Amino acid sequence: MSQNKGFYITTPIYYVNDIPHIGHAYTTLAADILARYMRLKGKKVFFLTGTDEHGQKVEKAARERGRSPKEHADIMVENFKTLWNELNIRNDAFIRTTDEEHKKVVSAILQKLYDKGEIEKRKYSGMYCTPCERFWTAKDLIEGKCPDCGRDVEYIEEENYFFLMSKYQNSLIDYIEKNPEYILPETRKNEVLSFLKNKPLGDLCISRPRQRLSWGIPLPFDENYTTYVWFDALVNYYSALNYLAPKNIEWWPPDHHLIGKDILITHAVYWSTMLMALGMPLPRNIFAHGWWTVQGAKMSKSLGNVVNPHEIIKKYGVDTLRYFLFREVSFGLDGDFSEEAIVRRINNDLANDLGNLLNRFLVMNEKYMNGQISPMWIDDDFTIQIKKLITEIDNEKLWDEFKFNIVLEKIWEAISLTNNYIAKTEPWKISKEDSEKLSLILFNIWNSIRIITVFLYPFMPDTAMKIWNALGLKSLKIDYNMLSWSIQLKEVKTEKIEQIFPRIQTKKDNESEQKIKEDNSKMQELIGIEDFMKIKLKVGKVIEAERIKGSEKLIKLIVDIGQQRQIVAGIGKSYSPEQLIGKSIIVVSNLKPVKLMGVESQGMLLAATASDGTISILTVDREVNPGAGIK
């Protein structure tokens, strides 16, 4: 491969009559993630997306609205551009099939194929679906209707021009079998091979009479005919390089054509054979991903289950959506979309794991080091494990085969490893004993979060930049050099920020809070001295503290009251776990155990609540042995 070869990735060009939904967003976001990763690695990238604007449906919709087809397309195309901007998609170019430069290239390719004898005119009869703009044979129909959209078809007999696709059937089978990565995933490759091997490949009708379809590109060798919309659309991958791509870089062949599984045959068969006829190299890869369903059903307007990405972004945020789509399922398979699953990912992955890690570190570094970072390149078990994970995450094959869920799983392994490192090293204890060791621990945590942030950037660019700035790295660019464990650092000072992913209250949270309120209200009833004497209050020293997964308020404490007790307290909004370690608190030691969110609490600590809801724990004002009674 040429040293001057750039990385070229495309999405389908989306039909301009559609309103963009989560499926369109899914494809384009996947391309954006891989493009961002390749740019991080210093590669020259050309990421192309756009709109398909010719055909009968556009012509009909424009007529119904009293507009010309081009006026209609100009309005509709903004739906896609607006959504791509809202999703933080950074495509390098946006092609429209109404671009004059594109139309010139389509005409030139048609003329070339005609001159080579690859196109011929013949009479044709068949069943035609106007909404799909496609001919079908009688045996293709399902109960007499179009097998794709289920609508009525009409019998048409007319002369048309055909691309002699059938002559490339065996050549295409041979090419796919010799290039196993040409079509991915494996199931899609097998689907195409089955299509090619089980029946003769026909020729492709590439024209429509102009009296039936005028909105499109005229055939250069016969202006009585208009180019079939699919032939026109597929050429965009090549035509864009003639007028939209940076010059002096070799872009062809594309590295990836990224598509949905519903347009696999048009790309893997139609486009492949067209390129063979032109004598052009085929793309390195065609990747056909699955669909997002709702309760197992494919999204459709008729079912009213189409997910509007604008609404999801408004409710949960753009980076949450970007993360969810590629963590929830393997890219390539179908996935079921639900807001319950999004909330679960927010609370478990983003709030508890990532958000809690960042918050704990920033609070500790501010408290113990005044926000300063002191580089200390000393290897231990933790740094060795993190470095191993860096290598695994930075496996270009994982990214290049769109195994994004595996990449994210490994990133979360690094997050979990770092959280466990904090629990194991207990910086809040070392702060009183060994300042140099504390500095090393905090630096290792900072360094781990720094590298995690670089890997998060392609998936969650805004979140990554917030973390990057909080780590004190505003002056440095997020790039591939930043994946090195050892880097040259100038003075760095961290900054505390608001929780990047606030936890979302769920029904389970509300039930737990209601239970706590009920318990509190029962305790507010008047009692006599004999009842009060039954309450045993003891001084307890907090040995361990950690948040309960799935709750924003509850913290699990291990308290020494002469013996160890586990206490669950709803103080998580006022205290972080590390602030509680070592505190001498007042504990009700003879309460019956209760379970809060499935975790047993063997007592209760005493605390006061201010008018603004801030909680203050009751403590003793001088050193008292754990277990001492309170009278």
Side-chain angles (χ1 to χ4, degrees):
M1 186 178 291
S2 167
Q3 290 295 313
N4 199 39
K5 173 71 172 76
F7 182 84
Y8 180 23
I9 185 168
T10 71
T11 72
I13 51 173
Y14 303 108
Y15 201 56
V16 78
N17 262 19
D18 290 337
I19 298 298
H21 54 67
I22 209 75
H24 300 107
Y26 191 43
T27 316
T28 318
L29 280 170
D32 183 64
I33 289 166
L34 187 53
R36 283 178 183 269
Y37 173 72
M38 290 301 178
R39 291 189 196 109
L40 275 181
K41 300 199 79 167
K43 298 199 176 182
K44 292 170 282 191
V45 173
F46 186 58
F47 164 23
L48 177 70
T49 187
T51 44
D52 178 7
E53 302 179 13
H54 289 135
Q56 286 173 295
K57 284 187 283 187
V58 175
E59 190 173 41
K60 181 173 180 288
R63 193 184 308 117
E64 288 170 353
R65 290 165 177 78
R67 304 184 188 121
S68 72
K70 182 62 166 63
E71 288 171 337
H72 175 69
D74 287 345
I75 293 168
M76 298 297 287
V77 76
E78 293 304 316
N79 292 324
F80 290 91
K81 289 185 174 181
T82 299
L83 180 58
W84 295 171
N85 188 58
E86 194 173 345
L87 286 166
N88 208 352
I89 288 166
R90 294 295 174 259
N91 49 292
D92 295 292
F94 191 102
I95 190 170
R96 300 177 60 182
T97 54
T98 51
D99 292 345
E100 289 302 319
E101 296 89 342
H102 168 75
K103 291 192 281 186
K104 289 174 187 175
V105 175
V106 172
S107 293
I109 284 177
L110 283 163
Q111 189 65 55
K112 183 176 180 179
L113 289 173
Y114 184 74
D115 293 343
K116 288 179 69 176
E118 299 285 352
I119 293 174
E120 67 177 35
K121 189 178 185 181
R122 66 171 79 134
K123 277 194 173 180
Y124 183 79
S125 60
M127 310 308 295
Y128 188 72
C129 175
T130 299
C132 293
E133 302 181 40
R134 184 170 175 180
F135 280 105
W136 299 99
T137 63
K139 63 183 179 183
D140 289 326
L141 304 180
I142 297 176
E143 296 181 355
K145 297 184 183 295
C146 171
D148 270 4
C149 70
R151 294 182 176 90
D152 291 330
V153 294
E154 60 178 319
Y155 178 79
I156 290 178
E157 185 174 314
E158 62 190 16
E159 279 195 313
N160 264 312
Y161 286 90
F162 286 79
F163 163 56
L164 304 183
M165 184 167 67
S166 58
K167 65 195 273 190
Y168 294 99
Q169 183 168 10
N170 291 333
S171 299
L172 184 54
I173 292 170
D174 186 58
Y175 185 86
I176 294 169
E177 290 181 335
K178 287 180 178 176
N179 296 273
E181 294 186 353
Y182 180 54
I183 300 169
L184 290 174
E186 182 84 9
T187 51
R188 306 291 176 230
K189 180 187 80 174
N190 294 336
E191 184 182 327
V192 174
L193 284 173
S194 176
F195 174 85
L196 289 167
K197 289 180 175 181
N198 289 332
K199 60 182 179 181
L201 184 63
D203 294 329
L204 180 65
C205 180
I206 60 159
S207 68
R208 301 290 183 264
R210 284 194 71 76
Q211 67 264 29
R212 188 150 60 82
L213 173 63
S214 60
W215 178 236
I217 302 171
L219 294 184
F221 42 82
D222 190 338
E223 294 213 347
N224 292 316
Y225 288 86
T226 303
T227 306
Y228 173 43
V229 68
W230 262 113
F231 190 101
D232 167 8
L234 288 165
V235 173
N236 94 89
Y237 302 128
Y238 174 71
S239 67
L241 301 182
N242 286 260
Y243 67 101
L244 293 174
K247 304 301 179 187
N248 304 317
I249 297 174
E250 185 182 331
W251 296 111
W252 196 270
D255 291 88
H256 293 288
H257 284 328
L258 191 54
I259 59 172
K261 66 180 183 179
D262 51 329
I263 52 174
L264 174 61
I265 296 302
T266 53
H267 283 77
V269 179
Y270 296 7
W271 181 226
S272 299
T273 53
M274 285 163 61
L275 291 171
M276 285 180 167
L278 289 163
M280 292 174 62
L282 272 59
R284 181 167 65 86
N285 167 249
I286 297 170
F287 194 105
H289 64 74
W291 290 327
W292 278 99
T293 59
V294 176
Q295 295 182 336
K298 185 185 175 185
M299 292 183 198
S300 74
K301 291 177 186 175
S302 59
L303 291 175
N305 66 350
V306 175
V307 176
N308 184 335
H310 295 285
E311 292 176 2
I312 300 298
I313 292 167
K314 186 176 180 181
K315 197 167 182 180
Y316 301 108
V318 62
D319 275 4
T320 297
L321 178 60
R322 288 177 67 113
Y323 172 76
F324 171 78
L325 290 175
F326 298 98
R327 180 73 194 273
E328 189 71 5
V329 296
S330 298
F331 191 68
L333 303 180
D334 290 350
D336 205 57
F337 191 95
S338 74
E339 289 195 44
E340 291 83 357
I342 292 179
V343 170
R344 189 166 57 248
R345 287 290 180 190
I346 290 170
N347 288 345
N348 294 344
D349 300 2
L350 301 179
N352 283 3
D353 296 339
L354 176 61
N356 194 35
L357 170 61
L358 179 66
N359 187 59
R360 290 168 80 190
F361 165 72
L362 293 175
V363 168
M364 287 190 295
N365 201 55
E366 181 72 24
K367 180 177 180 180
Y368 302 131
M369 309 300 294
N370 197 30
Q372 299 298 321
I373 289 294
S374 302
M376 301 176 74
W377 310 108
I378 300 172
D379 271 345
D380 57 16
D381 288 344
F382 171 70
T383 62
I384 291 167
Q385 290 179 73
I386 281 289
K387 287 178 184 179
K388 182 174 179 290
L389 272 173
I390 293 169
T391 304
E392 291 175 6
I393 298 168
D394 193 31
N395 178 352
E396 193 169 304
K397 189 173 173 64
L398 282 181
W399 295 79
D400 197 51
E401 293 182 358
F402 297 95
K403 294 180 178 177
F404 292 150
N405 67 313
I406 296 176
V407 171
L408 285 167
E409 282 172 13
K410 290 186 177 294
I411 292 171
W412 252 253
E413 277 184 49
I415 291 170
S416 178
L417 183 65
T418 311
N419 271 319
N420 290 338
Y421 178 66
I422 294 173
K424 185 177 178 182
T425 56
E426 299 181 313
W428 47 91
K429 283 188 178 179
I430 294 171
S431 66
K432 301 171 184 177
E433 303 162 3
D434 189 334
S435 60
E436 188 170 341
K437 187 176 180 182
L438 174 66
S439 184
L440 173 62
I441 290 168
L442 292 174
F443 174 70
N444 283 343
I445 298 166
W446 177 89
N447 217 16
S448 177
I449 297 174
R450 174 180 65 82
I451 290 172
I452 286 166
T453 304
V454 178
F455 283 127
L456 280 177
Y457 176 75
F459 297 97
M460 309 170 75
D462 285 345
T463 299
M465 289 310 303
K466 285 178 187 174
I467 298 173
W468 196 251
N469 293 339
L471 292 176
L473 295 167
K474 289 179 183 177
S475 63
L476 295 175
K477 183 182 177 184
I478 296 181
D479 63 19
Y480 191 66
N481 295 325
M482 284 294 168
L483 285 179
S484 171
W485 181 259
S486 302
I487 58 170
Q488 291 296 317
L489 282 176
K490 296 180 180 178
E491 187 176 324
V492 173
K493 190 175 188 300
T494 61
E495 298 176 13
K496 284 200 297 183
I497 58 173
E498 292 293 317
Q499 182 79 331
I500 52 173
F501 288 103
R503 200 175 184 286
I504 294 175
Q505 287 287 99
T506 64
K507 183 181 178 183
K508 190 177 283 188
D509 288 336
N510 293 333
E511 288 172 354
S512 295
E513 287 181 14
Q514 184 60 35
K515 178 73 168 59
I516 291 169
K517 285 178 182 176
E518 289 171 2
D519 290 343
N520 288 340
S521 67
K522 288 175 184 175
M523 291 187 68
Q524 289 171 15
E525 297 171 2
L526 292 175
I527 61 172
I529 188 68
E530 66 280 0
D531 292 320
F532 178 76
M533 294 302 291
K534 294 177 185 177
I535 299 170
K536 290 186 179 178
L537 300 177
K538 290 187 177 182
V539 174
K541 188 166 187 176
V542 180
I543 301 168
E544 297 177 19
E546 63 175 304
R547 292 188 183 277
I548 289 178
K549 209 164 191 177
S551 174
E552 188 176 13
K553 288 186 176 181
L554 297 181
I555 291 181
K556 181 178 75 176
L557 308 170
I558 303 299
V559 183
D560 180 2
I561 59 168
Q563 61 184 35
Q564 288 192 9
R565 286 283 185 89
Q566 177 174 288
I567 295 175
V568 178
I571 56 176
K573 284 193 172 182
S574 298
Y575 293 90
S576 64
E578 51 271 11
Q579 287 176 299
L580 298 166
I581 304 297
K583 279 188 179 295
S584 292
I585 61 175
I586 310 301
V587 174
V588 181
S589 64
N590 63 333
L591 283 180
K592 289 180 181 178
V594 296
K595 282 194 174 181
L596 298 174
M597 289 193 70
V599 181
E600 186 173 73
S601 181
Q602 302 160 341
M604 178 185 291
L605 61 79
L606 300 188
T609 304
S611 58
D612 64 357
T614 303
I615 293 174
S616 295
I617 296 170
L618 272 63
T619 61
V620 293
D621 64 358
R622 65 187 64 183
E623 194 69 31
V624 181
N625 290 332
I630 296 174
K631 299 177 181 178

